[in-house]
């Protein structure tokens, strides 16, 4: 569906943009300026202040515009436009396929705030982003939508991808709930740690945190509890 195993550029899209009067064009935001000097995405109207048009768009549930930093503004504008346009699955798929790296990132971050968040229609977009080496796309892909809809195998691979590429564990939404007592994830993490150690490479610090959670097991009543002495792999183990 979408080209994989490559980071998407932040320059103008190489595929034609949707028609100017279509919902997709409204969701994509302003078209880039003509010529090769066109820069990446811009926040409409300059810096964010209270009362700015971006803040006046009704935000999606759980999306607090007032908490955004300046670095987040281009994504915020796109997310709010997608929400206001009530973008459906075909629209977000088209925007992702034709978008720049920044536009793809905004689509991924918008998924939990759109009507399609209740279904798995956008899972192929998440899986495509996880196949790239663009850490910004990877971090955007492991948000609340992925936590809800990725299969156990795909979610485990996503956690490993974050550890491998240096995406912080804080970017992985709801990771403690999904990792809790997941013995298969624990096995994969242990194998990965041993491979890194054997190769003389450092083990990511976040790995121990996830591994400890995977070792939490339910007791006889079915209530989860942590083992008495959870132990993560040491750097000397191989």
């Amino acid at each position: 569906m979408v080209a994989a195993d490559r980071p998407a550029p932040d320059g103008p899209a190489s595929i034609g943009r949707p028609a100017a009067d279509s919902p997709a064009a409204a969701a994509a935001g302003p078209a880039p300026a003509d010529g090769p000097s066109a820069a990446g995405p811009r926040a409409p109207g300059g810096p964010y202040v209270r009362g700015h048009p971006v803040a006046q768009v009704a935000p999606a549930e759980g999306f607090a515009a007032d908490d955004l930093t300046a670095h987040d503004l281009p994504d915020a504008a796109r997310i709010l436009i997608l929400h206001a346009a009530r973008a459906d699955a075909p629209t977000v798929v088209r925007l992702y396929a034709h978008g720049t790296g920044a536009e793809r990132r905004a689509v991924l971050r918008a998924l939990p705030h759109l009507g399609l968040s209740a279904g798995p229609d956008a899972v192929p977009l998440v899986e495509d982003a996880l196949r790239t080496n663009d850490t910004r796309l990877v971090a955007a892909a492991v948000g609340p939508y992925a936590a809800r809809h990725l299969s156990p195998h795909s979610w485990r691979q996503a956690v490993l991808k974050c550890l491998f590429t240096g995406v912080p564990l804080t970017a992985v939404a709801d990771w403690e709930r999904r990792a809790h007592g997941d013995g298969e994830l624990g096995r994969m993490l242990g194998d990965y740690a041993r491979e890194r150690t054997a190769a003389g490479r450092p083990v990511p610090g976040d790995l121990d945190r996830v591994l400890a959670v995977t070792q939490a097991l339910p007791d006889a009543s079915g209530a989860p509890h942590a083992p008495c002495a959870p132990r993560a792999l040491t750097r000397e183990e191989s």
Side-chain angles (χ1 to χ4, degrees):
M1 170 185 103
V2 181
D5 296 316
R6 60 173 176 79
D10 272 352
S14 59
I15 305 176
R17 296 175 65 87
D21 58 351
S22 68
D34 294 335
S37 62
R42 294 177 292 116
Y48 173 85
V49 293
R50 291 185 181 274
H52 184 277
V54 171
Q56 293 169 2
V57 178
E61 182 180 354
F63 188 81
D66 289 342
D67 295 335
L68 296 168
T69 65
H71 180 73
D72 293 323
L73 291 181
D75 279 2
R78 291 185 175 94
I79 293 168
L80 293 175
I81 291 171
L82 284 165
H83 176 253
R86 299 184 179 182
D88 57 11
T91 299
V92 298
V93 167
R94 184 164 59 253
L95 290 171
Y96 183 91
H98 292 203
T100 66
E103 289 166 344
R104 291 183 175 192
R105 185 173 67 249
V107 166
L108 294 167
R109 294 184 66 183
L111 292 178
H113 310 293
L114 302 177
L116 55 83
S117 64
D121 291 344
V123 165
L125 306 186
V126 173
E127 293 177 337
D128 177 81
L130 290 171
R131 288 192 292 268
T132 73
N133 292 320
D134 186 332
T135 55
R136 296 170 302 172
L137 282 183
V138 172
V142 291
Y145 184 87
R148 176 181 295 183
H149 294 294
L150 278 186
S151 68
H153 176 74
S154 295
W155 189 82
R156 293 172 188 133
Q157 294 293 336
V159 172
L160 284 173
K161 179 79 176 210
C162 290
L163 293 172
F164 181 77
T165 58
V167 172
L169 190 59
T170 53
V172 184
D174 210 11
W175 69 268
E176 289 182 278
R177 178 187 65 81
R178 289 209 60 166
H180 192 92
D182 188 338
E184 177 61 16
L185 177 60
R187 182 194 65 77
M188 295 168 66
L189 293 172
D191 290 346
Y192 176 64
R194 283 187 285 271
E195 290 173 4
R196 298 280 295 183
T197 302
R201 298 177 179 176
V203 176
D206 282 341
L207 187 145
D208 288 348
R209 294 178 60 197
V210 186
L211 187 59
V213 173
T214 67
Q215 294 171 340
L217 302 172
D219 60 22
S221 66
H225 70 91
C228 295
R231 184 181 67 85
L233 292 174
T234 66
R235 302 298 186 268
E236 291 77 25
E237 290 180 308
S238 59

